[in-house]
Amino acid sequence: CLAIIFAIIIATNLPLAFINGSLIIFTYVLFSIFTFAHPKLRIMLDMALPLYWIGAIFIIAFALKAHYELKRKQKIERIFGNLVSEQVLKQLVDKPHRLNLKSTIQKVTVMSCNIYNNIQISKELPPEKYVELINKIFNSIEEIIFKYNGTINRFVGNSVLVYWGYPIHSRKDSEKAIRAAIEIQQKIDELNSSVNNISFEEYDEQTFEEKNPGKYSIDVKIAINTGNALVGQIGSSNLSDFTVMGETVDVVERVEDICSEFDKNIIVTESTLNNLDEKIPAEYLGIVRVKNSSTKVKIFEIKL
């Protein structure tokens, strides 16, 4: 009975737990038959009562294991359901034992994507059209992030914070982040150059584009940094989010300010470039200091 409980507990999934328990029962039955059939032993074991308890323990242990796995999968879906692509979520649900849901220090690549000229646009558009525009942009950005297996940390106002390296990680996380950033900028250019731009209903008998040509052209700034960060569920007992925090995130926020100050589309740190398997064209911009810190980082502009 103890062997069955242990075998089911250590199993990484339900099919393996069933096989482990069944093998132990099968082994016990074979052992009992062997001790009775062997001519030198001829030991008769009472199989009925032991098999009753073994079977009962197997059913109970397997049911508890199934309940635990179900709760764990539901928790994973609740935490990451809207933060990762369906493909990544399926990997997490299929192999929940590989995911550590406890707070941990993890190497991640963090990207901050900011709609730089949102204030100007909000002044020119009625509220409902402004929200429609922002949502349209974020939907396009989300599709690209999920395409490159990024995890959305949070949407805040006119920006979105994304990271690679958790809950799944790859040696190409930094490259995926940069490729996603380049594709986001290309998508924004398509939206700006399209005939209808972002489709709006008529506004004061004229479309916004006709009345204010070029004024709502979208300007997105992207900052990327790679380093260790605290990943975990942060918040109160009533309200918490799975988030990433630490100096790596602070650096991204500082680099995002540089993007806005010097009108650069994509800026990455040296640590991100150092984690690339293949080189991506980048121009050295200089060294910046993180606010309220002695940390200095080298930054580079990605050439589109």
Side-chain angles (χ1 to χ4, degrees), residues 10 79-80 100 105 182 193 197-198 201 208 225 269 296:
I10 65 171
I79 293 175
F80 296 104
N100 179 18
I105 300 296
I182 293 174
S193 62
N197 229 349
I198 305 298
E201 298 173 359
F208 183 79
N225 181 41
T269 61
K296 296 180 180 180

Side-chain angles (χ1 to χ4, degrees), residues 256-281:
E256 183 187 288
D257 292 339
I258 299 297
C259 288
S260 302
E261 291 173 14
F262 296 94
D263 195 25
K264 303 294 183 180
N265 289 328
I266 304 175
I267 296 181
V268 304
T269 61
E270 182 182 32
S271 61
T272 298
L273 294 180
N274 289 340
N275 279 274
L276 298 177
D277 287 337
E278 57 182 73
K279 291 186 178 180
I280 294 178

